[in-house]
Amino acid sequence: MLWFLIGILSDQPHLSVLGASPLEMQAHAALDSCNGLPWKHLTLLYILAGSAFITALVAVNKTPEGELSMSGSDLYTKSICPFGDLTWGDEVFQFDDHHYQIIGSKDASVSWREAAMDANSRCYGGQPGYLANIDSEDENDYLYAKLSKKPHFSANTHDAWIGATDMKNEGVFSWIGPKHLINGVKFWEGDENGQAIDGRYTNWGQDSSGQSQPDSNGEEDCIEMRGASPGRWNDKNCYQPNEFFIVEFGTPATSTDH
């Protein structure tokens, strides 16, 4: 239809201005310049604008009715997990109101940053994944029990990344998770002689040499759950590999005030 109208306009003969004065004729001649009739260009512009408007209306009308009636929280969920559940085939298990995955194998070699990125790529129940934030002894014991039962996990040689780090402020350890990717929830300040912040749960152990943790080594900024000292925590270089990591879904308990 649009090209039919353009064809008609392009074939229009020059219009004469009957009874016009010489001045009006000069004005008409000026409009008739520029390699074509300016009024035809304007008409074309109106047609194109009208077509664009109609196209926009059709697009709006084709928006799924369900999306138009979504609540703010539903739209947020759809925006962060647009493809629904993405667990990549790994088992999902529940503790209290939270869901978790144990990821890895005896042949894996994953840095803390790689583990964090993998966790963030996962979704379950409309919630994005993140490295586990641990806020109680019960939660820690449950996760270690699950880790120890993971096929090919060896407590003597394998460890698992969790979501704590002091990368932003040396000696101040924070949980990194949803809405706290930059400014994490602080839970410990200092070395092995430091103290918990706001009474938060900690479970420091020893490294492979027997050194109590955390040991204020500036190159060890990320936290692992150790297999050899069941469920205890150790700070480790973020770029060194581990075989396993623990993913959590949902709002972490560490984000609530104590």
Side-chain angles (χ1 to χ4, degrees):
M1 179 65 179
L2 176 59
W3 295 112
F4 172 73
L5 291 173
I6 293 173
I8 293 176
L9 289 172
S10 62
D11 292 336
Q12 277 283 10
H14 287 241
L15 299 179
S16 60
V17 184
L18 299 176
S21 66
L23 184 60
E24 290 171 335
M25 291 294 292
Q26 290 177 6
H28 186 272
L31 289 174
D32 229 7
S33 61
C34 300
N35 195 28
L37 295 176
W39 66 268
K40 291 200 296 187
H41 296 175
L42 288 173
T43 304
L44 243 155
L45 182 61
Y46 289 138
I47 293 173
L48 291 173
S51 298
F53 179 71
I54 292 171
T55 301
L57 285 178
V58 171
V60 170
N61 289 333
K62 286 185 176 180
T63 301
E65 186 175 346
E67 290 190 14
L68 293 175
S69 61
M70 277 184 175
S71 66
S73 60
D74 289 338
L75 288 172
Y76 172 75
T77 296
K78 188 174 179 62
S79 68
I80 58 177
C81 291
F83 305 109
D85 289 351
L86 285 177
T87 59
W88 307 120
D90 296 289
E91 178 190 4
V92 177
F93 48 90
Q94 183 176 358
F95 175 77
D96 286 342
D97 294 329
H98 287 242
H99 293 85
Y100 304 86
Q101 289 183 295
I102 305 292
I103 311 300
S105 74
K106 62 182 179 64
D107 299 318
S109 181
V110 184
S111 71
W112 188 90
R113 291 177 181 271
E114 290 170 336
M117 292 177 64
D118 183 290
N120 294 157
S121 75
R122 298 169 181 266
C123 279
Y124 183 76
Q127 299 292 333
Y130 55 94
L131 291 180
N133 289 199
I134 303 173
D135 199 46
S136 71
E137 182 178 359
D138 288 344
E139 183 181 16
N140 195 82
D141 290 349
Y142 177 82
L143 292 176
Y144 180 76
K146 281 290 187 180
L147 175 64
S148 64
K149 294 176 182 177
K150 182 76 173 178
H152 309 298
F153 176 82
S154 171
N156 294 325
T157 57
H158 296 154
D159 305 305
W161 291 118
I162 56 177
T165 176
D166 71 340
M167 281 188 288
K168 183 174 182 180
N169 189 356
E170 179 63 32
V172 180
F173 291 89
S174 302
W175 292 111
I176 304 300
K179 302 181 182 179
H180 298 288
L181 295 177
I182 304 299
N183 297 311
V185 178
K186 299 175 183 178
F187 68 91
W188 182 268
E189 184 169 5
D191 56 15
E192 68 270 22
N193 298 312
Q195 60 183 359
I197 297 175
D198 296 332
R200 291 190 178 276
Y201 173 74
T202 62
N203 193 38
W204 297 110
Q206 297 178 339
D207 63 14
S208 57
S209 68
Q211 170 67 44
S212 295
Q213 299 299 308
D215 56 9
S216 295
N217 185 329
E219 296 182 355
E220 297 179 345
D221 294 328
C222 295
I223 308 304
E224 64 182 1
M225 177 183 286
R226 287 186 52 74
S229 53
R232 295 284 183 175
W233 305 347
N234 171 54
D235 60 338
K236 182 175 180 176
N237 188 303
C238 300
Y239 295 98
Q240 289 183 346
N242 270 334
E243 297 81 9
F244 295 86
F245 57 95
I246 305 176
V247 178
E248 183 174 358
F249 303 95
T251 302
T254 56
S255 66
T256 60
D257 293 333
H258 278 207

